[in-house]
Amino acid sequence: MTVLTDLDVLRDVAAGRVPPQVARRDKLVALRAEAMELVREHRLLQTRACWRIVALEGEPGAAGCLCLDGERLQAPWLVPDSGQLTAVACAVATIGDKLEHFVGTLFAQRRASLAVMLDSLGNELLFALSRRVQDRILGEARRQGLTVAGELRAGDPGLQLQAQRTVLQLAGAADIGINLTPTLMMQPAKSTSIVQGVGRSLPVQTWSRCDHCRSRERCSVAKGTA
């Protein structure tokens, strides 16, 4: 298992490597800048991430059933039309709960606009952290002469929400303080999980986890403008 901590993803967001989730109107830009300063001043980021590339035990079973380290993961979208799936990368990442608590403080102070902006910025920071993790997974796979294809998160079409517990267990989430509620929500709330196929000569996937999202038409990430 590989663990990362204290990554400066605020720099990634400030540099525009993640599409902002707000319109670029002067008032909102100023409010976003204020939210970013709060993150710096109060040290609201607690970035932590971990992942494992888990070897596939045997061949994929019926309906994309994958056996991984004694666990079963139903992920038919990861089974390629060509090449060979040999492993699955399971990852989790979080920006911690300080930012979330600060959002609550702002609401209590009746500073709702800034609270909403800080919460939105938290989502951008988590997205930036997710990208960093995926870059590291890709680098690790390449060093082993392998390719990476596909991206799923529990709850997407192709990976049921019930798979969340298995994904977190395989990734080692408990070691960085990420847990699940009875309703399969992650704590801290600003956390995410990632599942990717790893193998030999995997084809470029023509599908995206964004394909069935109702916000796809207006999402800058789905449009490739990130």
Side-chain angles (χ1 to χ4, degrees), residues 7-214:
L7 289 177
D8 185 12
V9 292
L10 185 62
R11 181 178 59 186
D12 294 348
V13 171
R17 294 172 189 155
V18 176
Q21 297 185 344
V22 298
R24 292 186 178 278
R25 294 194 292 271
D26 290 344
K27 182 178 179 180
L28 293 179
V29 169
L31 198 61
R32 188 168 182 267
E34 186 177 355
M36 293 181 74
E37 186 55 35
L38 285 177
V39 174
R40 295 188 186 96
E41 179 183 352
H42 295 278
R43 301 179 182 272
L44 299 181
L45 273 181
Q46 303 165 299
T47 54
R48 307 186 298 276
C50 62
W51 71 87
R52 288 176 61 205
I53 295 179
V54 188
L56 185 63
E57 298 171 355
E59 296 294 324
C65 183
L66 309 175
C67 295
L68 305 159
D69 199 16
E71 301 290 336
R72 292 181 181 273
L73 199 65
Q74 202 82 23
W77 284 21
L78 292 184
V79 180
D81 295 329
S82 62
Q84 181 184 11
L85 185 71
T86 62
V88 171
C90 295
V92 288
T94 184
I95 62 169
D97 55 11
K98 286 184 68 174
L99 185 145
E100 181 185 1
H101 292 328
F102 206 92
V103 167
T105 298
L106 291 174
F107 273 118
Q109 295 172 351
R110 299 187 177 181
R111 302 168 73 185
S113 295
L114 184 56
V116 171
M117 181 61 70
L118 182 60
D119 185 72
S120 178
L121 179 60
N123 293 335
E124 294 178 37
L125 292 166
L126 182 58
F127 184 83
L129 178 59
S130 173
R131 283 197 159 182
R132 288 275 201 109
V133 170
Q134 288 176 280
D135 287 344
R136 297 295 184 94
I137 291 172
L138 179 60
E140 183 177 336
R142 283 178 172 172
R143 286 191 293 273
Q144 299 177 31
L146 301 172
T147 53
V148 177
E151 175 194 351
L152 291 172
R153 298 168 199 246
D156 286 346
L159 188 64
Q160 293 184 349
L161 182 60
Q162 286 74 13
Q164 189 78 283
R165 194 174 304 280
T166 299
V167 173
L168 266 60
Q169 182 175 335
L170 290 171
D175 291 343
I176 60 169
I178 298 178
N179 301 295
L180 282 179
T181 69
T183 57
L184 301 179
M185 299 297 291
M186 281 183 280
Q187 293 182 327
K190 287 283 192 274
S191 302
T192 188
S193 63
I194 308 165
V195 177
Q196 292 185 284
V198 179
R200 299 185 179 90
S201 303
L202 295 181
V204 176
Q205 296 290 358
T206 58
W207 55 264
S208 165
R209 62 182 296 266
C210 303
D211 287 346
H212 301 281
C213 179
R214 290 176 293 181

